[in-house]
Structures are given as structure tokens and as C-alpha cells.
Amino acid sequence: MSIRLARAGLSGLAIALIALSKSTAHEIVGNRFFPATLGIDDPGVNDELAFPTVSSFKTGDDPSFRERDLSAEFSKRITEDFAVSIAPTYSFLGRPGGPTGTGANGLQNWETTFKYRVYKNPEHEFVMSVGLSVEWGGSGVASVGADPFNTYTPTIYFGKGFGDLPDTFSWIRPVAITGQFGYALPGRNSTTSFGVDPDSGDATVDTEFHPRVLNWGGTIQYSMPYLKSAVVDLGLPDFINHLIPLVEANLQTPVANTLTSGTMTTGTINPGVIWVGNTFQVGIEALIPINRQSGTNVGVIAQLHFFLDDIDPHGIGKPIFGNATQPTKLFAGN
Amino acid sequence: MQRSTLSGIIPLLLMLATSEASAHAMLDHAEPRVGNKVAAAPHEVTLWFTQKLEPAFSTIIVTGPAGQRVDVGKTSVNDSQMSIPLRSGGTGTYHVKWHVLSVDSHTTTGNFTFQVGQ
């Protein structure tokens, strides 16, 4: 067998092995439903549409200004365990933001993420995926901060539910954690700009180094649906039984090529709540900056998120290579 | 068609033939209610799920406070509802372990407890 033939056979076998695993609509592992989270990506691979996601916060710049973002994300499964997503964001920068200090608005760079679910253990409610995100340099508007170069971020995602704890810890069984660790690699090490000092008239050279950044974060969630069905049915109103209160951490730490950026970690802690239905979810969280460099006051983010694999399992919600997924009803009724 | 192309297509066809689309039957609620206390031992346990169940492969096992089986007879399944008769096992904590196969062939398991006594 030639090397070329062996390669073709192996790639085909890999595709077949991928598809032997059972599929489910949105990310359910055992009895655990992992919702789509607003700050970091969830550990699952699904057909879904998050639109709109809106946020408002005051940036960590000096002087600070208000930034409002409107974004969307569309994720499409190619196979049961492999998906590609695209995510545009439109930003509105208030005064004194933007290059002229009078505010600016426009598209940020488009982002594409390739994500593959590598492991799923229903008994222990554990799931892990790997991905590569590409921010396409130059696809956005420079005045809102879009870089002219690509940035590549390989990322690991995981989720773990605690439903396998013994009865002694039954009240902790509705808890789940998720996390992600990504390493952002800018396609360019530095950018040098030339100018003229307005006071002296001398030529100036300004070099900005683009750091490699660890994008990391996690969530801790308490699932009211899980509490009702597996720990104690408190007879709460139906609305409450659809809620998942959670706290997210979304952090960035420059770790290399940090000459001009410094190494300070920035990011936000986001307490909030997600209401989950059978075909969509709604989430809202506060954005609490962890330091001055991360923002100057508490912001807010909200999202409407559709489970396309449940809304249209034989159409747009069907993997391109693979069978349609039956809709998963998390709750009785419609 | 080149051999290399064929060797890639065959596993792809295998994939399309064997991949199994499925969905979960999640427990919606139960009687006695999950984690709750009832005054007297119930005569049966009934579970309601979010999907239709396959009767042949859906079961409930109930153990009493001393760890003894208290379920008697056969699990009965009606659409998305499943129940099993019980004999009294005294006061204390009862464990309910369920295993269901939804009609689209996905298995789900779970367990919960309820209390009997004042």
C-alpha cells in the first residue's frame, strides 16, 4: 500500500470511528445538560445559533469609555462530533474611544472555530473537546480595534457534572463545572509605526509587540432541572425549575512577547442565570472586572440561544455527514 | 475512480449506515416526589419522562431502608410514564434506580431517594 493510499484509508477510518458514537441534541452527558455559556464556550459540539448576544461595559482603557457589542455565533456540525462556527461582532465605542476620541463603530474581525469532541463519559458526566479558533485579520474595522493580522487559538474545553457523588453529598450533585484553556498566537510578532513628534518635528518610531495570551476561564453551575429530577423535587414553580444559576470567569494572561503589553491578567467574573427550554435558552450575566485594567464598572451581557438540532433536526440541525438527531426534550410539554 | 478515493469513500458509507441518532428520555417528575417524605409506604412508584419509552427495556428497582428489594411484579410502561408496585419496607429511606430506553433507542439511567415515616 502506498503512503498516499494509507493516508486516505486512515482518514476515512477516522471519519467512520467518529460517527460510531451516539449523538444527542445539544450537550447532554448522562443526565447532565451543559448549557451554552455566555462568557466562555461550552464543552459541547452542536448545531446552534446564538443571536443576539448584547453586552455593555466600560473598558479598561485610560481614559475609559463605554463599549457596546452586538454579536452572533452560528455553529454547524460537519459530523456528529465535529463542528465549525462563525462569529461576527459589531462594536459601538463611546467617547473618548476610537482613534479620534469621538467614538467609533464597526465590525470586529470575524472568528471561525473548528471544534471536535474527543471524549464523553455519561456515567461520570464528563465531556472534553478540542478546538482551533482563527480570528481573521483585516476582516474587521481598525477603528474599533480589529487587528490587521490573523490570531490562532488552539483551545481545550471540558465539562464535569457532579451527579456521580454519593447520597451524602446529594445537594452538590446538581453542580457542574466547565472550563477552557486556549493559547492565542498572533500571526505577527510586532507592529512598527512611524510618525512625527508634533512638538519637536522629530521622526518617531513606535513598536507594539503582540503578546501570546493564555485565554482561560471556567464556570460553576447549579442546575435546578437536575435538582428536581435527581435530588429533591421542592415543588417550585415551573419557571424556577428551568433555571441554571452560574458564575463564569473569563480571563486573559499575556505570557510571551510581553515587552509592551505587560503580563497582567485581565478579565471579568460573571455571575448570572440561564433559563433553559426545549428549543432555546436565555441568559443574562453581570460583567465584573477583576482589576482597573479590565474595566471601570460593572457591565452586563445577555444572550438568546437557539438549539437548531432540536428546532429542525432533519434540516439545518442535521450534521452534514450523519443521521438526523431526534429532538431532545429536557422538559415535559412544549 | 482512483483506489485512494475509494478507500476514503467506503468508511464514509459505513459511517452513514451505522451512525445512530438518538435522544434522551429525561426524568420529569415522580410520585412519591424526588427527595420528599411521605407518611406511609406507597403502593407504587410512578415516574414521568420527557420522551416516549420502550416498554421492553425500561425498568425500575426500588430498595427499602434495609437495602432489601421492595418492588414487586413487572414494570408497566405507558407512553412516557412508568410505574412499579411496591410492598411495604417500613420507615426510612427508599432508593429508586431507573433505567429507560427511549423509543429512538437511547438509554438513560438515574436514581433518587424518598423518605417514608413521620
Side-chain angles (χ1 to χ4, degrees), chain A residues 257-313:
Chain A
N257 202 28
T258 57
L259 197 60
T260 54
S261 68
T263 57
M264 180 177 285
T265 296
T266 57
T268 56
I269 303 295
N270 313 350
V273 65
I274 295 171
W275 183 94
V276 180
N278 278 327
T279 55
F280 70 95
Q281 64 170 57
V282 183
I284 185 165
E285 296 176 353
L287 299 170
I288 303 172
I290 62 167
N291 49 30
R292 170 63 183 80
Q293 286 70 23
S294 304
T296 52
N297 64 6
V298 177
V300 64
I301 183 170
Q303 183 185 78
L304 175 60
H305 186 107
F306 299 96
F307 309 138
L308 298 180
D309 35 17
D310 287 331
I311 293 170
D312 186 15

Side-chain angles (χ1 to χ4, degrees), chain A residues 11 26 39 49 51 62 85 127 139 143 148 165 184 186 191 196 213 226 230 251 266 271 289-290 293 307 317 323:
Chain A
S11 60
H26 37 263
L49 173 67
F51 180 76
D62 192 10
S85 65
V127 60
S139 59
S143 61
L165 288 174
T191 300
V196 177
V213 178
Y226 202 105
L251 306 166
T266 57
I290 62 167
Q293 286 70 23
F307 309 138
N323 290 342

Side-chain angles (χ1 to χ4, degrees), chain B residues 31-32 38 40-46 62 70-73 83-89 94 114 116:
Chain B
E31 188 59 49
V38 291
H43 297 298
E44 68 172 17
V45 166
T46 304
V62 185
V70 295
D71 54 280
V72 291
S83 59
I84 193 162
L86 302 183
R87 62 181 170 79
S88 176
Y94 286 62
F114 65 88
V116 172

Side-chain angles (χ1 to χ4, degrees), chain B:
Chain B
M1 189 179 284
Q2 293 186 357
R3 285 176 64 198
S4 58
T5 309
L6 273 175
S7 62
I9 288 175
I10 290 168
L12 189 64
L13 293 174
L14 176 67
M15 169 195 78
L16 293 172
T18 57
S19 63
E20 188 178 358
S22 53
H24 285 70
M26 313 290 281
L27 178 64
D28 183 66
H29 66 284
E31 188 59 49
R33 280 176 20 196
V34 173
N36 278 244
K37 183 181 273 192
V38 291
H43 297 298
E44 68 172 17
V45 166
T46 304
L47 312 182
W48 285 265
F49 289 85
T50 58
Q51 311 262 104
K52 285 185 179 179
L53 305 177
E54 178 59 57
F57 301 99
S58 299
T59 57
I60 307 173
I61 294 173
V62 185
T63 53
Q68 79 282 24
R69 288 278 293 266
V70 295
D71 54 280
V72 291
K74 239 181 121 181
T75 303
S76 61
V77 174
N78 180 14
D79 200 47
S80 59
Q81 178 184 334
M82 179 166 76
S83 59
I84 193 162
L86 302 183
R87 62 181 170 79
S88 176
T91 58
T93 302
Y94 286 62
H95 286 78
V96 180
K97 191 171 183 180
W98 53 265
H99 174 103
V100 297
L101 182 72
S102 54
V103 290
D104 45 29
S105 82
H106 195 99
T107 58
T108 320
T109 61
N111 62 82
F112 64 89
T113 62
F114 65 88
Q115 310 275 330
V116 172
Q118 294 300 323

